[in-house]
Amino acid sequence: MSVISELRMRPAALQSPRWDASVRTRLALAVVVMSTLLVGANLATPLYPLIRAELGLSAFHTTAAFAAYVFTLVAGLLLVGHWSDHIGRRAALVLAVLTGILGAVVFGGATSLPMLILGRCLQGAAVACAIGASSAALRDLLPHRPEWASRFTLVASAGGVAAGPALGGLLSLLPDPTRLPFALYAAFLGLLLVPLVLLDARPAIRPAAPARPLSALKPRRPAVSRTARRAFWSAAAVGFLSFAVFGFSLSLAPTYFAGITGYDSRPLAGLLAGLVLAASAASQLFPQRGGHGSGAAVPGLLVMAGGVALIPVAGVTGNVVLLLAALVLAGSGQGVAFRRVFNTVAQQVEGSQHAQIISTVYVITYLGSAVPVLGLGLAADAMGLAAAVAVFAGLVSAGCVGMAVLLGRTPVTASI
């Protein structure tokens, strides 16, 4: 079936030879597409100081551009998070890659704040389309290993976000650093379309009614089954807290870290900004120990709270070693905690609802990287970046401790 036939939700008129890829290849393709789109969405992190100077932006403008991506992503998850169930995983990923190419071109060529925001909105739409499709494709390909499907999803998410700032920092050494990195990235996304289009796609898991196929694509009110409701809210709350830290790392952190290290190096800023995400991704590679269910997320939440609390301490003391330790602790704690609660909800959701429910989890999770960060940007303009980061870290740490206490009292067990 061709991509056009999938998008029309109609059987293909003629069957042409297609690439019948192995399960392993399909797994790799789903992971690469999702992580690549997240790389592009965070490529600009170490470049924001240059973009701010070039366009004359304030700290709040920078966080507003970042938040535009998040709010569009959230809206996209609500509007199109279930599409891949009806048009097929491959077609949804093709739409995501095409939107990602357009977003990279607009953002890279931005000459004003509105253009910058438009580019970020397109990037958010691309990631929204890819998240549900990729995670559901992994679940489809590993029907008897849901924990591995969740692990691959989290590695691709955290790894892609972590690699974005690091790669952006390295590409910033090229001529025209606010534009050329995005042109190269758009070209790479174009190459990814080739295997996607050639792939012999599997049929949609919930085919649309032949009489009115487009009705299946209408926006749906977020809904969670009764059996997965408690696990869902646990995952959403932990995700909100952890992505608040990610949002800080990917927006104002490079400027804050430069004040601690004393170095105005874009590659170094990118590496430091991605360190929390890299530690989170690395934590997904280790086997789970210490029980099942959301209650097992308590140690991770406490480690995350401690790591976040140490960030402003490192800022006051100017201690780079303490800063590195704080970022690693925050990221690894987040990875352990979110993996526990994410696995729990993923195991309690039926396969036919996986894309829709996981997209809904990410709706609340991604709000954590927008709403608190907007407040941080306003506070930074009003009281200075150091004081704003101290208040932000205190609130996030307190939230992690409170969530740990709540989950410790009312553990949510997985239905295995």
Side-chain angles (χ1 to χ4, degrees):
M1 181 181 289
S2 68
V3 176
I4 300 300
S5 298
E6 287 178 286
L7 292 173
R8 294 178 62 239
M9 291 175 282
R10 303 282 188 185
L14 297 173
Q15 293 293 332
S16 57
R18 291 280 166 185
W19 174 38
D20 187 14
S22 65
V23 169
R24 185 172 297 180
T25 301
R26 292 172 187 268
L27 283 169
L29 194 55
V31 168
V32 168
V33 170
M34 179 159 61
S35 58
T36 300
L37 287 169
L38 286 164
V39 164
N42 298 285
L43 201 62
T45 297
L47 303 175
Y48 277 130
L50 286 178
I51 296 172
R52 284 179 61 180
E54 188 176 299
L55 301 183
L57 306 179
S58 68
F60 177 70
H61 289 152
T62 303
T63 55
F66 180 82
Y69 155 77
V70 178
F71 285 131
T72 305
L73 196 161
V74 167
L77 289 171
L78 291 171
L79 295 172
V80 306
H82 62 291
W83 279 19
S84 74
D85 290 338
H86 306 290
I87 65 175
R89 314 304 187 200
R90 190 266 301 267
L93 292 178
V94 168
L95 284 177
V97 171
L98 289 172
T99 307
I101 292 172
L102 184 58
V105 171
V106 173
F107 187 89
T111 56
S112 64
L113 180 60
M115 278 189 71
L116 207 64
I117 289 176
L118 175 60
R120 293 295 285 163
C121 288
L122 288 168
Q123 290 174 332
V127 173
C129 198
I131 282 179
S134 294
S135 61
L138 292 170
R139 173 73 179 266
D140 296 344
L141 294 167
L142 296 169
H144 306 298
R145 302 294 299 274
E147 197 244 326
W148 273 98
S150 299
R151 184 180 295 188
F152 281 133
T153 299
L154 296 176
V155 168
S157 300
V161 178
L167 184 60
L170 292 174
L171 293 177
S172 72
L173 300 176
L174 296 173
D176 202 3
T178 61
R179 288 177 174 76
L180 187 55
F182 301 99
L184 294 174
Y185 170 74
F188 181 79
L189 277 182
L191 293 176
L192 269 184
L193 283 174
V194 177
L196 281 175
V197 171
L198 294 177
L199 186 68
D200 183 13
R202 297 185 173 186
I205 195 168
R206 296 172 69 184
R212 300 179 60 195
L214 292 180
S215 62
L217 303 184
K218 290 180 180 178
R220 293 186 180 176
R221 189 164 141 199
V224 184
S225 62
R226 185 180 297 274
T227 57
R229 192 166 297 164
R230 184 179 293 179
F232 167 84
W233 284 112
S234 297
V238 173
F240 184 93
L241 287 169
S242 58
F243 271 60
V245 180
F246 290 175
F248 161 67
S249 297
L250 298 169
S251 56
L252 295 180
T255 302
Y256 183 72
F257 295 159
I260 299 175
T261 62
Y263 293 103
D264 188 17
S265 166
R266 290 189 295 273
L268 177 61
L271 288 172
L272 288 175
L275 187 55
V276 173
L277 288 305
S280 174
S283 71
Q284 312 302 327
L285 303 177
F286 297 98
Q288 288 190 128
R289 300 185 187 278
H292 297 284
S294 297
V298 170
L301 282 166
L302 294 177
V303 171
M304 178 182 163
V308 172
L310 287 175
I311 292 175
V313 177
V316 171
T317 61
N319 191 322
V320 177
V321 174
L322 183 59
L323 174 65
L324 294 174
L327 296 176
V328 171
L329 286 172
S332 57
Q334 182 278 335
V336 170
F338 192 49
R339 175 179 165 190
R340 295 286 190 177
V341 292
F342 188 89
N343 282 350
T344 302
V345 70
Q347 290 167 2
Q348 293 184 4
V349 172
E350 296 179 6
S352 61
Q353 292 183 307
H354 193 273
Q356 182 181 0
I357 301 302
I358 294 304
S359 293
T360 308
V361 170
Y362 275 109
V363 164
I364 300 173
T365 294
Y366 271 100
L367 282 174
S369 62
V371 177
V373 172
L374 276 175
L376 178 61
L378 287 170
D381 286 336
M383 66 175 70
L385 184 56
V389 169
V391 173
F392 171 80
L395 291 173
V396 172
S397 296
C400 290
V401 172
M403 197 66 201
V405 171
L406 182 63
L407 291 181
R409 288 179 177 176
T410 56
V412 183
T413 56
S415 301
I416 301 177

